[in-house]
């Protein structure tokens, strides 16, 4: 806990910028959710239904805790340097987003990082955590928005595919333009040295763009595809429980 607070104070400006970005994406998710609700209910008045209820908040907390623990478990991949790893933390986030909407997805994505930091403090002055949040939201936001426009199996497949491709493209460009140069400066390592680590694995890696094309893009594509497949396997068995929780929350909100 002390280490967690120390890291925050040492990087307070960056942390505040991180929180501001989270707030912007939450606002985007809220607007999207309101528009989806208006469209799906053909103009009916749904002002009594809240974006967040007590029961939904509890479910977000539960999925965030699972995601936070999963985020600490990274597996190496043979096509990327050892500082890249793959984890399953987006799985609970996508399940929560499919069940409860884009806002729940973005909040779960953020809270999983907060929870992860209690188990495993940042080693990158929160830059790595910011990258994880941005890349994760690049999948979660479009996937949950598309799915909630029309909740069907085919829509879920399209939503997951779009989310995976968005995450892959955004994650690749984000690494090339921001993340790799930032890490090079942060650790006092020439960018060429990082690229060289990729060249040792794949001779086609000769610059930052081939690095992200051959190392980062396959990683995000593999992660998105894996999360999508597991979501299809798990969502249907879990949906009765999640649906019951949501309907009870809505019912209690209307009675209050």
């Amino acid at each position: 806990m002390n280490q967690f607070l120390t890291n925050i104070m040492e990087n307070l400006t960056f942390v505040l910028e991180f929180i501001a970005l989270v707030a912007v994406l939450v606002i985007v998710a809220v607007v999207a959710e309101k528009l989806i609700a208006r469209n799906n209910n053909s103009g009916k008045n749904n002002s009594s239904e809240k974006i967040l209820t007590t029961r939904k908040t509890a479910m977000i907390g539960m999925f965030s805790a699972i995601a936070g623990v999963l985020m600490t478990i990274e597996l190496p991949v043979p096509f990327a340097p050892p500082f890249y790893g793959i984890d399953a933390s987006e799985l609970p986030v996508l399940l929560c987003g499919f069940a409860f909407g884009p806002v729940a997805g973005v909040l779960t994505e953020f809270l999983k990082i907060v929870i992860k930091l209690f188990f495993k403090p940042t080693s990158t002055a929160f830059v790595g955590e910011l990258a994880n949040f941005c890349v994760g939201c690049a999948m979660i936001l479009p996937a949950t928005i598309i799915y909630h426009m029309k909740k069907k199996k085919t829509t879920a497949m399209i939503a997951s595919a779009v989310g995976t491709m968005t995450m892959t493209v955004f994650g690749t460009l984000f690494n090339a333009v921001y993340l790799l140069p930032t890490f090079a400066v942060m650790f006092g390592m020439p960018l060429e040295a990082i690229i060289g680590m990729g060249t040792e694995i794949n001779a086609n890696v000769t610059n930052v763009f081939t690095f992200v094309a051959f190392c980062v893009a396959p990683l995000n594509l593999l992660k998105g595809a894996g999360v999508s497949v597991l979501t299809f396997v798990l969502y249907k068995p879990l949906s009765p429980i999640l649906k019951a929780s949501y309907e009870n929350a809505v019912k209690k909100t209307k009675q209050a």
Side-chain angles (χ1 to χ4, degrees), residues 50 251-256:
K50 297 179 180 179
K251 185 177 179 181
K252 287 182 179 180
T253 300
K254 289 182 176 180
Q255 287 176 346

Side-chain angles (χ1 to χ4, degrees), residues 136-242:
C137 284
M139 178 182 187
I140 300 304
L141 257 181
T144 53
I145 289 172
I146 292 171
Y147 175 68
H148 281 271
M149 288 180 178
K150 195 170 186 179
K151 296 181 182 180
K152 293 174 62 178
K153 186 175 182 180
T154 52
T155 310
M157 294 174 64
I158 294 170
S160 297
V162 171
T164 297
M165 293 308 300
T166 304
M167 180 174 73
T168 301
V169 173
F170 175 81
T172 301
L173 294 175
F174 189 63
N175 269 265
V177 174
Y178 174 76
L179 196 57
L180 288 173
T182 300
F183 279 148
V185 173
M186 180 180 298
F187 294 110
M189 179 186 297
L191 186 57
E192 290 74 16
I194 297 177
I195 295 170
M197 297 174 71
T199 307
E200 292 178 3
I201 298 171
N202 187 334
N204 293 312
V205 175
T206 57
N207 54 47
V208 68
F209 295 104
T210 52
F211 182 98
V212 296
F214 288 106
C215 299
V216 179
L219 176 68
N220 287 326
L221 191 60
L222 178 62
K223 182 175 182 177
V227 166
S228 298
V229 171
L230 289 173
T231 299
F232 283 118
V233 173
L234 296 175
Y235 187 68
K236 188 173 182 180
L238 289 174
S239 61
I241 301 172
L242 298 175

